[in-house]
Amino acid sequence: MEALNIQGGKALRGELTVQGAKNSVLPLLAATLLGSGRSVIRNCPGLTDVTASLDILRHLGCSVETVGDTVAVDAGTLRACEIPEALMRAMRSSVIFLGPLLARLGMAGMCYPGGCELGPRPIDLHLEALRALGSEVSEGTDGLRCAAVCLRGSDIALSLPSVGATENAMLAATAAKGVTTIQNAAREPEIVQLQDFLRSMGADVRGAGTSVITVRGSGGRPLDGGEVTVMGDRIVAATYLSCAAAAGGEICLKGVDYCQLSPVSAILAEAGCLVRSKGDEITLKRDPALPLKAVRPVRTAPYPGFPTDAQAPVMASLCTARGATMFVENMFSSRYRHIDELRKMGADIRTEGRVAVVCGVERLHAAALEAHDLRGGAALAVAALGAEGESTIYGLRHIRRGYADLVRDLTALDAKVYLAEKE
């Protein structure tokens, strides 16, 4: 069994260009189905979720070429509308293929998606949006079936600003007849990038980044191919900032919009780190001889609030902060699975429902740890870098869903990490 070994107690130093964003590239890959020509996606990160998306595109009949971090998809040969269970189970975000398949072929079929077990993440909002556009949706024990002779523009009011539902509604609406208005839309930067890509394909989409998005549909005509360069991953950047906060030292991250990181950088600055931003760079410095301090309550919320994906890494960095910090997880009910692993390292964390209180301890110690989900696995790496001794992390398949090469990146920041085979 492959495991990640991390030697803690060593300050981080160096600079790193942040990989392309997982949460942006997946809907972009799905959007290529809308075009009858060749689409090009640059700065595509080498993630297992990306590999799963490319496998789905190939199964559907698309031509896929990869050269370095550039992916070209030609959906002119799209022929299939159903995704088999084995491909769907590989990742939660596979449900994003519903909208573009329905828009392009008038039908789509798939089983229920897989991915990290973070508690109930119903896709009801996705299906309600597709029904509002005129699709018939049938749900059975074997999966989902969607069909529409002609999609119609509609007013869609989301009960909460779901990122996935917003994206699926945008993608399906590009082929509808008439205008679609999405109310209470998610405002994440990844939604803005999806809009930009759709515009490059010839779609008329406006309002991304606000709570109201308007799509003027093509009436069934396929879009053209488009081009896009994937933005830097703000959650990966938040993870590496948390690593430096836990271990001490000074790092510089490039290729990421510091404005998107402000909820995280503000918390780390309050904890005692020096954070500076300029252009597409962000630098964090922390004297390893000085302990961090507890911060005001951290409550996860939709963008532009504190991101749920950054909760676990930031929590790990504050395990040795002086005082107590309260975390309130408002997005997912099972996003504290990393806490039991942190306790193995000596962390003092108390939970009740959606609330976790981190009572800072003097130091963490090395341990054998198991990653149960993507961001929780990243949190274990954060904690291990700040702990005494060498920790071993298992369950790397979860981490590889969102981090292209954790060993390479941490090595670039002067960390002592390596992969090893364990019995």
Side-chain angles (χ1 to χ4, degrees), residues 266-275 285-287 290-295 318:
I267 291 296
L268 296 179
E270 184 179 341
C273 300
L274 175 63
V275 184
K285 181 178 181 180
R286 185 213 142 195
D287 185 346
L290 299 177
L292 295 174
K293 54 188 177 182
V295 300
L318 295 177

Coordinates of all heavy atoms in Angstrom, one line a residue, residues 266-275 285-287 290-295 318:
A266 N -7.2 36.2 5.8 CA -7.6 37.0 7.0 C -7.5 36.2 8.3 O -7.1 36.7 9.3 CB -9.0 37.6 6.8
I267 N -8.0 35.0 8.2 CA -7.9 34.1 9.4 C -6.5 33.8 9.8 O -6.1 33.9 11.0 CB -8.7 32.8 9.2 CG1 -10.2 33.1 9.1 CG2 -8.4 31.8 10.3 CD1 -10.8 33.6 10.4
L268 N -5.6 33.5 8.8 CA -4.2 33.2 9.1 C -3.5 34.4 9.6 O -2.6 34.3 10.5 CB -3.6 32.6 7.9 CG -4.2 31.2 7.4 CD1 -3.4 30.7 6.1 CD2 -4.1 30.2 8.5
A269 N -3.8 35.6 9.1 CA -3.2 36.8 9.6 C -3.6 37.1 11.0 O -2.8 37.5 11.9 CB -3.6 38.0 8.7
E270 N -4.9 36.8 11.3 CA -5.3 37.0 12.7 C -4.6 36.1 13.7 O -4.4 36.4 14.8 CB -6.9 36.8 12.8 CG -7.5 37.1 14.1 CD -9.0 36.9 14.1 OE1 -9.6 36.9 13.0 OE2 -9.5 36.7 15.2
A271 N -4.3 34.9 13.1 CA -3.6 33.9 14.0 C -2.1 34.2 14.2 O -1.5 33.6 15.0 CB -3.7 32.5 13.3
G272 N -1.6 35.2 13.5 CA -0.2 35.6 13.7 C 0.7 35.5 12.6 O 1.9 35.8 12.7
C273 N 0.2 35.2 11.4 CA 1.0 35.1 10.2 C 1.1 36.5 9.5 O 0.1 37.2 9.6 CB 0.5 34.1 9.2 SG 0.4 32.4 9.9
L274 N 2.2 36.7 8.8 CA 2.3 37.9 8.0 C 1.9 37.5 6.6 O 2.6 36.7 6.0 CB 3.7 38.5 8.1 CG 4.0 39.7 7.2 CD1 3.1 40.9 7.5 CD2 5.5 40.1 7.2
V275 N 0.8 38.1 6.1 CA 0.4 37.8 4.7 C 0.4 39.0 3.8 O -0.1 40.1 4.2 CB -1.1 37.2 4.8 CG1 -1.5 36.8 3.4 CG2 -1.2 36.1 5.7
K285 N 4.4 34.5 5.8 CA 5.6 34.3 6.7 C 5.1 34.1 8.1 O 4.2 34.9 8.6 CB 6.5 35.6 6.5 CG 7.8 35.5 7.4 CD 8.6 36.7 7.1 CE 9.9 36.7 7.9 NZ 10.7 37.9 7.7
R286 N 5.8 33.2 8.8 CA 5.5 32.9 10.2 C 6.8 32.5 10.9 O 7.4 31.6 10.4 CB 4.4 31.9 10.3 CG 4.0 31.7 11.8 CD 3.6 30.3 12.1 NE 4.1 29.9 13.5 CZ 4.2 28.7 13.9 NH1 3.9 27.6 13.1 NH2 4.6 28.4 15.1
D287 N 7.1 33.2 12.0 CA 8.2 32.8 12.8 C 7.9 31.5 13.5 O 7.0 31.5 14.4 CB 8.6 33.9 13.8 CG 9.8 33.7 14.6 OD1 10.3 32.5 14.5 OD2 10.3 34.6 15.2
L290 N 7.5 31.4 17.3 CA 6.3 32.1 17.9 C 5.1 31.3 17.6 O 4.8 31.0 16.5 CB 6.2 33.5 17.4 CG 7.3 34.5 17.7 CD1 7.1 35.8 17.1 CD2 7.6 34.6 19.2
P291 N 4.3 30.9 18.7 CA 3.1 30.1 18.4 C 2.0 30.9 17.8 O 2.0 32.1 18.0 CB 2.7 29.6 19.8 CG 3.3 30.6 20.7 CD 4.6 31.1 20.1
L292 N 1.1 30.2 17.0 CA 0.0 30.9 16.5 C -1.0 31.2 17.7 O -0.9 30.6 18.8 CB -0.7 30.0 15.5 CG 0.1 29.8 14.2 CD1 -0.7 28.8 13.3 CD2 0.3 31.1 13.4
K293 N -2.0 32.0 17.4 CA -3.0 32.3 18.5 C -4.4 32.0 17.9 O -4.6 32.0 16.7 CB -2.9 33.7 18.9 CG -3.0 34.7 17.8 CD -2.7 36.2 18.4 CE -2.7 37.2 17.2 NZ -2.4 38.5 17.7
A294 N -5.3 31.7 18.8 CA -6.7 31.4 18.4 C -7.3 32.6 17.7 O -6.9 33.7 17.9 CB -7.5 31.0 19.6
V295 N -8.3 32.3 16.9 CA -9.0 33.4 16.1 C -10.5 33.4 16.4 O -11.0 32.5 17.1 CB -8.7 33.2 14.6 CG1 -7.2 33.2 14.3 CG2 -9.3 31.8 14.1
L318 N -4.3 25.3 13.1 CA -4.6 26.0 14.4 C -4.6 25.0 15.6 O -4.9 25.4 16.7 CB -5.9 26.7 14.3 CG -6.0 27.9 13.3 CD1 -7.4 28.4 13.3 CD2 -5.0 28.9 13.6

